[in-house]
Amino acid sequence: MQVTIVGNSAAALSALEGFRERDQTASVTLVSAEPVPAYSRVLLPYYLRRRLSYEGLFIRQMSDYARLRVATEFGARVERVDPATCELELADGRRLGFDRLLLATGSSPARPPIPGLDGPGIHTLWTLDDATRLDSLFREGARVMVLGSGFVALQAAWAARQRGLQVIVVELLDQILPRVLDAAAARILHEQLLAYGVDVRTGTRTDGVETDHDGKVRVSTDGTGAFAVDAVIVATGARPNDGLLPECLEPGKPGIPVADTMETSVDGVFAAGDVTRGPTSAGGPREIHALWPTAVEQGRVAGANLAEAGVAYAGSLSMNVTEMFGLTVASLGRFVEDDGDDVFESRDLAGIRYLKLVSRAGVPVGAISLGDPEGAALLGRLRPFVRQRRLLPDLPTFLEGRDLGQRLVGRGAIKEKTPCA
Amino acid sequence: MRIVAVDPDSCVACRNCEYACAFRQSGDFDRRASHIRVNFYAEERACVPLTCMHCDDAWCLEVCPAAAISRDPETGAVQIDAARCAGCKMCLLACPFGNVHFDRTQGVSGKCDLCGGDPMCVRSCISGALRYIEADEAVDLRREVLDASLRRLLHLDKGEK
Ligand SMILES: Cc1cc2nc3c(=O)[nH]c(=O)nc-3n(C[C@H](O)[C@H](O)[C@H](O)COP(=O)(O)OP(=O)(O)OC[C@H]3O[C@@H](n4cnc5c(N)ncnc54)[C@H](O)[C@@H]3O)c2cc1C
């Protein structure tokens, strides 16, 4: 049997490893457009911040692929999947056959419909090449504008600021990090950005971008007028790289829809990671959770099922954590309350400057923590409750870390091999 | 593999394990650096040391986007390579037990690594509450323990099993 994996990142690698745990004999080929062994996108801002070396970005070596006995086709872009002949068509004209296929092609930065965004001086932070390009542009005193204020945008802004650049962040909505924080938490972080010398413009639309002959980029916005900067970093979200097999898409909806087995609607073809629209732990319609942990989990399920293990995915739960501007920012699940939800809020719990827990009938559904790293650990302990929709019986005990049920019952995990996720 | 098993009935909350671990981590006796943490329940007159269980399916290990977490082939310990860790804290958010900690001075995550097979917490335990034993044995022990003393404590989690 020939198993072929397209992609070489979180989803592809977890699938590969999950597959090989169960099947040591099938022939496996991994095809990736990028010419290098796997590196981690999550780490790119840490590299720009000089927290990590270039070498530190790489998470696999060639010997790891050899150990897993996988044939690698790096630097090979897949143009199309032919489901009739079960072949991949590569950009260099070759065709590769498969019996089972995994599409783990991830996502790419979305380009908002702003005139001039394809000119020189316009950058993204998504790939290794992007990061090395930006690294050479990050000269002290240079001026950059970041379009968008999501995780990638603000991490780029923080890296630039730490390297001594002047940074302007422009966000269309009225708050920063709209998908990761509620308005109250966003305000605290917003103040923090200002304190770090970042010029933040929320509720501001970018109308157009022009690159001058002297290399300066002129950005016009509504309200606040025009800016001249040395570079623009576009970070307004992602869109799935879902074009290889149009047969498995639903009209008008981005992302490859997958079942809880990570199978697509096309026989023998699986998908995992940022490219998918998959089941969520909350139930309801499928969603795109373009996050590293989701890609790892989905990859694992896909890998097992490529080996016919019959594993079902319990659904993804969005979780975010990072440190920026001196604060640990973490959130989980649905953290904006609906009618009928209970909200616990604390403005100072042992160094956690903002903690919010949203629950419904005693079952936590989401949370935000801003401040000390301990907040991330607290949200980590909360995660099983959210995911398994379990009652959180005694909040004060939980907040103090003195809840024993959860923490000791888990000891059974050692023997019973239940995944601790 | 062997793990650090905990018998809450024997623990006297002397916190020697915390001091010993902190000293190994930081060369200092600031308990905040310890990877084993003793919870003390005054009302129930009980204490429970908590530390990493080196889960078979360790989610922290799998999710680490820097490939900084691995399993020691000899001891089975799930361990963090501080040189590879970027400090992104995904492992803190991944651990359902709160047993990964963040070292703010170094900017990296840290956790129990079983001290390479000779855990200092166990060495320094004066009451026999901590033992370094085979995981299978620990599960039996756990069942016993859960049946007896922990019942009493678990009412702290009213409604929990
Ligand atoms: C700067 C940055 C910071 C981030 N920070 C975080 C964070 O803190 N937390 C978090 O949870 N997530 C973060 N993310 C998101 C996270 O990186 C993604 O969710 C994760 O990488 C998804 O993994 P994936 O395997 O699905 O796809 P990707 O990582 O996108 O990998 C896709 C792979 O497919 C290959 N490929 C694509 N198309 C083709 C083709 N046609 N032919 C051949 N190969 C192809 C690519 O070369 C690549 O190897 C961040 C992303 C970025 C860019």
Side-chain angles (χ1 to χ4, degrees):
Chain A
M1 184 180 61
Q2 170 65 42
V3 172
T4 301
I5 298 174
V6 188
N8 185 24
S9 182
L13 295 169
S14 305
L16 171 64
E17 284 153 18
F19 179 79
R20 271 292 184 241
E21 274 173 25
R22 289 176 171 83
D23 187 320
Q24 284 82 43
T25 54
S27 151
V28 181
T29 305
L30 191 138
V31 189
S32 172
E34 292 169 279
V36 288
Y39 65 89
S40 178
R41 300 209 190 297
V42 173
L43 300 181
L44 298 175
Y46 296 79
Y47 164 70
L48 280 180
R49 240 167 77 201
R50 300 260 156 95
R51 168 69 182 78
L52 274 187
S53 66
Y54 182 80
E55 290 71 34
L57 294 171
F58 290 90
I59 52 175
R60 292 295 184 280
Q61 301 180 330
M62 288 316 290
S63 57
D64 294 313
Y65 299 94
R67 184 173 45 79
L68 291 162
R69 283 173 297 107
V70 53
T72 53
E73 291 282 355
F74 293 161
R77 173 167 293 280
V78 179
E79 292 286 353
R80 207 177 83 83
V81 179
D82 186 340
T85 59
C86 287
E87 281 179 325
L88 301 180
E89 299 176 15
L90 304 191
D92 60 14
R94 284 182 296 154
R95 296 173 77 92
L96 299 179
F98 62 83
D99 297 308
R100 288 187 196 141
L101 175 67
L102 173 67
L103 297 173
T105 46
S107 54
S108 301
R111 292 266 172 167
I114 298 167
L117 269 194
D118 37 18
I122 315 296
H123 302 267
T124 52
L125 175 54
W126 208 264
T127 63
L128 195 59
D129 286 347
D130 289 343
T132 47
R133 226 176 349 253
L134 284 174
D135 185 53
S136 64
L137 285 172
F138 275 15
R139 293 176 316 267
E140 206 173 325
R143 214 161 170 232
V144 294
M145 175 177 281
V146 179
L147 295 187
S149 71
F151 246 42
V152 174
L154 292 190
Q155 291 198 77
W158 192 35
R161 195 67 202 116
Q162 288 216 314
R163 297 272 296 269
L165 281 77
Q166 299 173 55
V167 181
I168 311 158
V169 172
V170 177
E171 167 61 54
L172 180 63
L173 301 177
D174 285 329
Q175 73 159 76
I176 58 170
L177 271 183
R179 296 174 60 125
V180 176
L181 297 179
D182 68 355
R187 263 194 301 277
I188 298 172
L189 186 63
H190 189 136
E191 289 301 316
Q192 194 83 350
L193 260 72
L194 297 178
Y196 273 79
V198 178
D199 182 353
V200 191
R201 314 280 176 124
T202 49
T204 300
R205 197 182 64 236
T206 308
D207 288 329
V209 176
E210 254 173 75
T211 310
D212 279 4
H213 45 83
D214 60 356
K216 282 262 187 246
V217 186
R218 297 193 190 275
V219 185
S220 51
T221 65
D222 66 339
T224 37
F227 301 86
V229 295
D230 298 300
V232 171
I233 302 175
V234 183
T236 53
R239 61 177 166 73
N241 299 324
D242 56 9
L244 291 184
L245 183 56
E247 287 84 346
C248 64
L249 297 176
E250 285 168 9
K253 286 189 187 168
I256 302 175
V258 286
D260 59 3
T261 54
M262 297 298 126
E263 287 170 285
T264 68
S265 60
V266 175
D267 235 19
V269 180
F270 295 69
D274 279 13
V275 74
T276 67
R277 192 152 40 80
T280 73
S281 65
R286 294 190 185 97
E287 285 178 27
I288 299 179
H289 281 176
L291 295 167
W292 185 273
T294 300
V296 170
E297 289 178 344
Q298 291 189 343
R300 227 179 164 219
V301 173
N305 289 337
L306 281 164
E308 292 178 12
V311 175
Y313 184 41
S316 58
L317 171 65
S318 66
M319 58 183 245
N320 292 283
V321 61
T322 194
E323 187 179 309
M324 46 192 172
F325 304 98
L327 290 175
T328 296
V329 179
S331 71
L332 187 75
R334 180 168 68 75
F335 48 75
V336 175
E337 60 274 26
D338 276 344
D339 285 346
D341 289 341
D342 294 313
V343 176
F344 167 85
E345 208 185 285
S346 158
R347 292 279 171 163
D348 187 22
L349 186 99
I352 302 175
R353 283 176 55 183
Y354 179 76
L355 178 70
K356 177 183 185 184
L357 255 76
V358 180
S359 56
R360 200 170 185 92
V363 176
V365 294
I368 298 176
S369 166
L370 211 66
D372 272 6
E374 279 71 24
L378 185 79
L379 263 51
R381 290 198 293 117
L382 190 71
R383 200 169 51 93
F385 290 92
V386 179
R387 200 159 209 178
Q388 298 152 23
R389 294 179 225 167
R390 275 165 41 199
L391 277 176
L392 184 64
D394 187 343
L395 187 61
T397 308
F398 179 83
L399 292 178
E400 286 170 30
R402 291 154 56 82
D403 56 316
L404 282 173
Q406 156 76 9
R407 305 185 78 181
L408 284 173
V409 166
R411 290 200 158 259
I414 297 158
K415 184 110 174 248
E416 287 138 29
K417 284 217 174 214
T418 47
C420 66
Chain B
M1 82 170 273
R2 295 206 286 168
I3 62 158
V4 175
V6 169
D7 172 8
D9 263 356
S10 307
C11 178
V12 294
C14 69
R15 300 194 188 273
N16 270 3
C17 55
E18 293 185 351
Y19 289 113
C21 183
F23 187 72
R24 174 168 156 104
Q25 304 313 325
S26 64
D28 203 334
F29 289 106
D30 183 348
R31 288 194 284 119
R32 279 172 300 183
S34 174
H35 294 319
I36 185 163
R37 311 234 165 138
V38 180
N39 271 9
F40 182 55
Y41 302 88
E43 222 176 280
E44 289 76 14
R45 310 177 122 266
C47 31
V48 186
L50 293 166
T51 183
C52 173
M53 296 173 282
H54 306 278
C55 306
D56 263 356
D57 274 321
W59 182 225
C60 60
L61 184 160
E62 234 161 277
V63 87
C64 173
I69 309 186
S70 63
R71 195 177 291 275
D72 184 306
E74 306 227 317
T75 62
V78 173
Q79 56 193 13
I80 301 177
D81 179 350
R84 288 204 61 90
C85 175
C88 80
K89 307 189 184 74
M90 232 181 257
C91 51
L92 276 89
L93 194 52
C95 178
F97 311 113
N99 287 331
V100 182
H101 307 116
F102 198 73
D103 177 343
R104 252 173 290 184
T105 49
Q106 315 248 15
V108 294
S109 292
K111 62 180 291 303
C112 166
D113 62 356
L114 296 175
C115 299
D118 182 13
M120 292 301 135
C121 54
V122 175
R123 267 209 194 192
S124 66
C125 179
I126 57 165
S127 67
L130 297 178
R131 288 192 292 153
Y132 189 46
I133 56 176
E134 285 300 324
D136 294 0
E137 268 179 72
V139 171
D140 295 340
L141 179 83
R142 163 187 157 262
R143 203 159 290 141
E144 246 169 66
V145 156
L146 268 182
D147 283 352
S149 67
L150 281 179
R151 275 277 156 73
R152 193 181 71 216
L153 282 174
L154 287 179
H155 85 263
L156 284 166
D157 303 286
K158 294 159 216 116
E160 276 287 297
K161 59 170 149 177

